[in-house]
Amino acid sequence: MESISVTADSGESITISPENMGDMVAFMSRYACAIMEVETKFNVLNAQFNASKSYNPIDTIKTRLKTPESIVEKLRRRGLPLTTQAAEDNLTDVAGVRVICPFVEDIYLLADYLLMQDDVELLEKKDYIAKPKGNGYRSLHLIVQTPVFTPQGKTLVKVEIQLRTIAMEFWANLEHRLRYKKGLDPELLEDLGGELRECADICESLDQRMGGIRRKIEATTTLLDAADKEWQ
Ligand code: 0O2
């Protein structure tokens, strides 16, 4: 087997020798498996809510495994050794799971039920819904650790989970495009940033109003259900 070269967007590259290749493959595979574990946990929660309440708190789940190129870039940026051990010890976003929910309440409900599970350990929580970022970004971020069973035994693997509503996802995707757009006129960049800030407020107010409507519908449904039962 020949050495392979991994080149980051910045142009910097590292060469992975055949001896280290197995280590790299095992490393990536552990994170891919941790993504599967966490994604399954959310799918199971969604199925259980569907069975007990005829309601799906999850609209979509997206997953992403960081590429070796961006792992190298992040390690270099932080001045860390370019090793899988350094990545394991210092990077929390090699495995990413994004859960998109219809309503804000669903986000906290899912986070609570996930963290109740005894094989999920919360390492860090950033609530950008309670405290949005200056640019308007909102989402709930959890860094968790969960076991992955390999032929060599059990390893604990970190996964970054982002929970957000459909409106937050819509906003974040557009803002992400702006953030990575190269060569934009600074004045236009500032204008668009300002517009996005306003859109973030609109998204927040939309999430609140939609949640309010849903609560009213549910209260009515419960009353109607009770009335239906009386006539059976
Ligand atoms: P990408 O391209 O989506 O992967 P760290 O993750 O350790 O580097 P940080 O900034 O403390 O550092 O983590 P944080 O705030 O939890 O953000 C991690 C990820 O959340 C980001 O990953 C984005 O996916 C998302 N995010 C955070 N802030 C914003 C924001 O202002 N706008 C958008 N659109 N997304 C955001 P990456 O690696 O930055 O980007």
Side-chain angles (χ1 to χ4, degrees), residues 64 66 74 78 92-93 98 126 128 133 135 137 141 160 162 164 171-172 175-176 179-180:
R64 98 81 184 82
K66 217 172 179 65
K74 199 159 190 174
R78 294 195 180 173
T92 52
D93 64 345
R98 182 176 296 159
K126 289 186 203 165
Y128 295 123
K133 288 178 90 166
N135 60 0
Y137 177 78
H141 290 194
E160 181 188 271
Q162 300 178 348
R164 50 173 78 152
W171 183 93
E175 196 272 345
H176 192 269
R179 206 144 44 102
Y180 286 94

Side-chain angles (χ1 to χ4, degrees), residues 71-190:
I71 294 172
V72 167
E73 190 154 87
K74 199 159 190 174
L75 289 173
R76 268 209 210 278
R77 218 180 326 127
R78 294 195 180 173
L80 293 163
L82 303 183
T83 61
T84 50
Q85 191 60 51
E88 213 159 306
D89 294 344
N90 298 285
L91 305 189
T92 52
D93 64 345
V94 175
V97 175
R98 182 176 296 159
V99 183
I100 300 156
C101 304
F103 301 100
V104 175
E105 285 168 19
D106 301 328
I107 292 175
Y108 292 105
L109 184 81
L110 287 166
D112 285 349
Y113 275 95
L114 178 81
L115 297 175
M116 262 179 220
Q117 303 184 14
D118 60 13
D119 57 350
V120 177
E121 186 192 346
L122 178 66
L123 300 180
E124 194 183 349
K125 178 174 166 180
K126 289 186 203 165
D127 191 345
Y128 295 123
I129 299 173
K131 217 166 176 274
K133 288 178 90 166
N135 60 0
Y137 177 78
R138 293 186 306 138
S139 284
L140 178 66
H141 290 194
L142 307 174
I143 307 291
V144 302
Q145 190 161 259
T146 198
V148 168
F149 294 88
T150 69
Q152 289 72 41
K154 181 171 103 169
T155 34
L156 295 172
V157 183
K158 290 173 194 139
V159 179
E160 181 188 271
I161 303 170
Q162 300 178 348
L163 295 117
R164 50 173 78 152
T165 61
I166 297 168
M168 293 173 199
E169 167 77 352
F170 184 34
W171 183 93
N173 285 341
L174 191 58
E175 196 272 345
H176 192 269
R177 278 175 67 179
L178 177 69
R179 206 144 44 102
Y180 286 94
K181 193 91 190 162
K182 302 252 160 46
L184 268 190
D185 171 45
E187 209 172 311
L188 178 63
L189 190 67
E190 203 179 314

